[in-house]
Amino acid sequence: MKGKVIIFSAPSGAGKTTIVHHLLKVFPQLEFSVSACSRPKRKDETNGVDYYFMSVEEFKKKIANNEFAEYEEVYKDNFYGTLKSEIERIWKKGKHIIFDMDVMGGLNLRLQFGDNALAIFVMPPSIQHLEMRLKSRETETPESIARRIGKAEQELKKANLFDKIILNDNLETALKEAEALVSEFLK
Ligand code: 5GP
Protein backbone atom coordinates (compact mmCIF):
# COMPACT_ATOMS: atom_id res chain seq x y z
CA MET A 1 0.00 0.00 0.00
CA LYS A 2 1.22 3.50 -0.82
CA GLY A 3 -0.30 6.27 1.28
CA LYS A 4 -0.08 10.01 0.73
CA VAL A 5 2.72 12.21 1.98
CA ILE A 6 2.60 15.67 3.51
CA ILE A 7 5.83 17.61 3.70
CA PHE A 8 6.36 20.60 6.00
CA SER A 9 9.47 22.63 5.35
CA ALA A 10 10.67 25.91 6.77
CA PRO A 11 13.78 27.58 8.08
CA SER A 12 14.76 26.42 11.57
CA GLY A 13 12.68 28.33 14.14
CA ALA A 14 9.69 29.12 11.88
CA GLY A 15 7.38 26.94 13.94
CA LYS A 16 6.88 23.99 11.62
CA THR A 17 7.40 21.41 14.37
CA THR A 18 4.57 22.96 16.43
CA ILE A 19 2.27 22.80 13.41
CA VAL A 20 3.22 19.20 12.62
CA HIS A 21 2.62 18.10 16.24
CA HIS A 22 -0.79 19.77 16.15
CA LEU A 23 -1.77 18.00 12.91
CA LEU A 24 -0.75 14.63 14.35
CA LYS A 25 -3.27 15.18 17.15
CA VAL A 26 -6.06 16.25 14.79
CA PHE A 27 -5.54 13.57 12.11
CA PRO A 28 -5.07 10.05 13.53
CA GLN A 29 -4.56 8.71 10.00
CA LEU A 30 -1.19 10.55 9.86
CA GLU A 31 2.10 9.31 11.26
CA PHE A 32 5.29 11.29 11.73
CA SER A 33 8.33 10.20 9.75
CA VAL A 34 11.19 9.99 12.23
CA SER A 35 14.37 11.13 10.49
CA ALA A 36 17.83 9.81 11.13
CA CYS A 37 20.36 12.42 12.26
CA SER A 38 23.92 12.71 13.45
CA ARG A 39 23.70 15.82 15.62
CA PRO A 40 23.76 15.47 19.42
CA LYS A 41 20.42 14.80 21.12
CA ARG A 42 18.89 17.79 22.95
CA LYS A 43 17.71 17.45 26.57
CA ASP A 44 14.03 17.28 25.65
CA GLU A 45 14.39 14.79 22.80
CA THR A 46 13.87 11.02 22.74
CA ASN A 47 15.68 8.60 20.46
CA GLY A 48 13.25 6.91 18.08
CA VAL A 49 10.59 9.57 18.69
CA ASP A 50 12.17 12.86 17.59
CA TYR A 51 14.99 11.34 15.58
CA TYR A 52 16.95 8.13 15.21
CA PHE A 53 20.20 9.52 16.63
CA MET A 54 23.41 8.00 15.30
CA SER A 55 27.10 8.75 14.84
CA VAL A 56 28.46 10.36 11.67
CA GLU A 57 30.13 7.01 10.84
CA GLU A 58 26.90 5.09 11.21
CA PHE A 59 25.08 7.65 9.06
CA LYS A 60 27.72 7.44 6.33
CA LYS A 61 27.48 3.65 6.33
CA LYS A 62 23.73 3.92 5.66
CA ILE A 63 24.40 6.37 2.80
CA ALA A 64 26.81 3.85 1.27
CA ASN A 65 24.16 1.10 1.64
CA ASN A 66 21.61 3.28 -0.20
CA GLU A 67 19.25 3.22 2.79
CA PHE A 68 18.03 6.83 2.45
CA ALA A 69 15.14 8.20 0.35
CA GLU A 70 16.89 11.57 0.81
CA TYR A 71 19.58 12.92 3.09
CA GLU A 72 21.59 16.07 3.53
CA GLU A 73 24.51 17.39 5.48
CA VAL A 74 22.41 20.28 6.77
CA TYR A 75 25.30 21.72 8.80
CA LYS A 76 28.91 20.48 8.99
CA ASP A 77 28.85 16.87 10.31
CA ASN A 78 25.12 17.24 11.06
CA PHE A 79 23.53 14.78 8.66
CA TYR A 80 19.76 14.43 8.46
CA GLY A 81 17.86 11.99 6.32
CA THR A 82 14.75 9.94 5.67
CA LEU A 83 15.27 6.19 5.81
CA LYS A 84 13.42 4.19 3.14
CA SER A 85 12.56 1.72 5.91
CA GLU A 86 10.71 4.49 7.79
CA ILE A 87 8.46 5.20 4.80
CA GLU A 88 7.70 1.49 4.38
CA ARG A 89 7.03 1.11 8.12
CA ILE A 90 4.35 3.81 8.06
CA TRP A 91 2.70 2.77 4.81
CA LYS A 92 2.52 -0.84 6.03
CA LYS A 93 0.39 0.42 8.92
CA GLY A 94 -2.02 1.90 6.36
CA LYS A 95 -1.21 5.48 7.39
CA HIS A 96 -0.25 8.64 5.52
CA ILE A 97 3.13 10.20 6.26
CA ILE A 98 3.90 13.65 7.57
CA PHE A 99 7.46 14.97 7.20
CA ASP A 100 9.21 17.83 8.99
CA MET A 101 12.37 18.71 7.13
CA ASP A 102 14.56 21.41 5.71
CA VAL A 103 13.74 23.10 2.42
CA MET A 104 16.08 21.17 0.10
CA GLY A 105 14.98 17.83 1.56
CA GLY A 106 11.33 18.84 1.21
CA LEU A 107 11.70 19.78 -2.45
CA ASN A 108 13.63 16.59 -3.12
CA LEU A 109 10.85 14.40 -1.65
CA ARG A 110 8.19 16.46 -3.40
CA LEU A 111 9.75 15.51 -6.74
CA GLN A 112 9.97 11.83 -5.81
CA PHE A 113 6.35 11.51 -4.71
CA GLY A 114 4.68 13.66 -7.37
CA ASP A 115 0.91 14.02 -7.05
CA ASN A 116 0.92 11.80 -3.99
CA ALA A 117 2.56 14.63 -2.06
CA LEU A 118 1.54 18.00 -0.64
CA ALA A 119 4.51 20.25 0.15
CA ILE A 120 3.89 23.17 2.51
CA PHE A 121 6.33 25.97 3.30
CA VAL A 122 5.98 27.64 6.69
CA MET A 123 6.95 31.29 6.32
CA PRO A 124 8.23 33.15 9.41
CA PRO A 125 7.09 36.79 9.74
CA SER A 126 10.71 37.96 9.47
CA ILE A 127 14.33 36.93 9.91
CA GLN A 128 14.46 38.96 13.14
CA HIS A 129 11.56 36.92 14.43
CA LEU A 130 13.39 33.67 13.62
CA GLU A 131 16.45 34.85 15.50
CA MET A 132 14.34 35.72 18.53
CA ARG A 133 12.68 32.30 18.51
CA LEU A 134 15.96 30.44 18.19
CA LYS A 135 17.43 32.43 21.11
CA SER A 136 14.41 31.85 23.33
CA ARG A 137 14.54 28.09 22.65
CA GLU A 138 17.84 28.02 24.57
CA THR A 139 18.96 24.87 22.75
CA GLU A 140 21.38 26.51 20.32
CA THR A 141 24.82 28.03 20.73
CA PRO A 142 25.39 31.53 19.25
CA GLU A 143 27.32 29.84 16.39
CA SER A 144 24.47 27.46 15.69
CA ILE A 145 22.00 30.37 15.67
CA ALA A 146 24.15 32.34 13.23
CA ARG A 147 24.46 29.28 10.97
CA ARG A 148 20.72 28.67 11.03
CA ILE A 149 19.96 32.32 10.21
CA GLY A 150 22.39 32.27 7.29
CA LYS A 151 20.67 29.18 5.93
CA ALA A 152 17.21 30.65 6.50
CA GLU A 153 17.98 33.60 4.24
CA GLN A 154 18.67 31.16 1.37
CA GLU A 155 15.65 28.99 2.19
CA LEU A 156 13.16 31.87 2.06
CA LYS A 157 14.02 32.30 -1.62
CA LYS A 158 12.69 28.78 -2.33
CA ALA A 159 9.23 29.27 -0.79
CA ASN A 160 7.54 29.69 -4.18
CA LEU A 161 8.54 26.20 -5.25
CA PHE A 162 6.15 24.68 -2.69
CA ASP A 163 2.49 23.77 -3.29
CA LYS A 164 1.32 26.04 -0.47
CA ILE A 165 2.76 28.69 1.84
CA ILE A 166 1.50 29.25 5.38
CA LEU A 167 2.50 32.54 6.99
CA ASN A 168 3.15 31.90 10.67
CA ASP A 169 2.65 35.36 12.20
CA ASN A 170 -0.23 34.15 14.34
CA LEU A 171 -0.02 30.57 15.54
CA GLU A 172 -3.78 29.99 15.91
CA THR A 173 -4.41 31.13 12.35
CA ALA A 174 -1.49 29.10 11.02
CA LEU A 175 -2.79 25.94 12.75
CA LYS A 176 -6.28 26.41 11.30
CA GLU A 177 -4.88 27.01 7.84
CA ALA A 178 -2.71 23.89 8.08
CA GLU A 179 -5.72 21.83 9.21
CA ALA A 180 -7.79 23.01 6.26
CA LEU A 181 -5.05 22.24 3.71
CA VAL A 182 -4.41 18.76 5.09
CA SER A 183 -8.09 17.95 5.39
CA GLU A 184 -8.65 18.88 1.73
CA PHE A 185 -5.62 16.88 0.58
CA LEU A 186 -6.60 13.72 2.46
CA LYS A 187 -10.17 13.73 1.14
P1 5GP B 1 17.03 20.50 14.03
O1 5GP B 1 18.49 20.29 14.31
O2 5GP B 1 16.57 21.87 14.42
O3 5GP B 1 16.18 19.40 14.63
O4 5GP B 1 16.85 20.37 12.46
C1 5GP B 1 17.67 21.08 11.57
C2 5GP B 1 17.08 21.05 10.19
O5 5GP B 1 17.12 19.73 9.61
C3 5GP B 1 15.60 21.44 10.20
O6 5GP B 1 15.36 22.33 9.14
C4 5GP B 1 14.94 20.11 10.02
O7 5GP B 1 13.64 20.25 9.47
C5 5GP B 1 15.88 19.43 9.07
N1 5GP B 1 15.62 17.99 8.95
C6 5GP B 1 15.07 17.17 9.88
N2 5GP B 1 14.92 15.93 9.41
C7 5GP B 1 15.37 15.96 8.12
C8 5GP B 1 15.47 14.96 7.08
O8 5GP B 1 15.11 13.80 7.22
N3 5GP B 1 15.99 15.38 5.90
C9 5GP B 1 16.40 16.65 5.68
N4 5GP B 1 16.86 16.96 4.49
N5 5GP B 1 16.32 17.61 6.64
C10 5GP B 1 15.81 17.27 7.83
Side-chain angles (χ1 to χ4, degrees):
M1 182 254 177
K2 271 195 179 359
K4 295 186 180 185
V5 309
I6 299 167
I7 303 156
F8 273 86
S9 293
S12 182
K16 68 182 178 305
T17 305
T18 310
I19 296 177
V20 166
H21 285 170
H22 172 77
L23 292 171
L24 284 164
K25 276 191 215 134
V26 175
F27 298 98
Q29 64 272 50
L30 290 180
E31 183 155 332
F32 181 64
S33 167
V34 179
S35 298
C37 93
S38 70
R39 74 151 164 74
K41 191 167 86 60
R42 295 179 193 140
K43 278 197 302 287
D44 58 340
E45 291 178 324
T46 311
N47 187 32
V49 174
D50 298 287
Y51 285 109
Y52 300 114
F53 291 98
M54 58 188 70
S55 65
V56 176
E57 292 67 39
E58 224 176 315
F59 201 106
K60 286 185 175 166
K61 208 185 283 169
K62 290 189 190 298
I63 296 174
N65 287 339
N66 197 23
E67 289 181 47
F68 288 103
E70 67 78 39
Y71 74 89
E72 257 187 284
E73 186 173 14
V74 174
Y75 311 106
K76 171 93 181 98
D77 273 346
N78 284 199
F79 288 89
Y80 296 79
T82 305
L83 289 162
K84 292 175 184 169
S85 59
E86 180 67 2
I87 295 174
E88 290 307 320
R89 180 184 75 76
I90 298 172
W91 277 347
K92 247 189 228 150
K93 289 168 85 175
K95 294 202 172 191
H96 304 298
I97 311 179
I98 187 161
F99 292 96
D100 170 345
M101 62 173 55
D102 86 325
V103 169
M104 287 318 292
L107 290 173
N108 184 342
L109 280 190
R110 174 73 186 81
L111 279 178
Q112 291 188 41
F113 290 114
D115 285 347
N116 228 17
L118 172 69
I120 300 175
F121 186 93
V122 181
M123 178 73 84
S126 66
I127 289 278
Q128 289 76 4
H129 186 93
L130 271 190
E131 197 165 359
M132 224 169 55
R133 277 206 51 167
L134 286 171
K135 279 184 183 152
S136 68
R137 204 151 85 173
E138 291 182 350
T139 54
E140 310 306 323
T141 60
E143 294 73 37
S144 163
I145 291 176
R147 215 163 48 204
R148 282 164 192 260
I149 293 297
K151 182 162 179 273
E153 285 165 351
Q154 296 310 309
E155 291 184 320
L156 291 180
K157 295 181 187 153
K158 302 250 159 53
N160 286 331
L161 299 174
F162 283 74
D163 299 312
K164 303 281 177 192
I165 298 176
I166 295 178
L167 175 65
N168 189 11
D169 59 349
N170 174 293
L171 184 60
E172 281 314 305
T173 315
L175 294 180
K176 286 286 164 240
E177 216 176 305
E179 266 181 53
L181 289 175
V182 169
S183 170
E184 178 63 31
F185 179 68
L186 292 182
K187 249 187 210 162

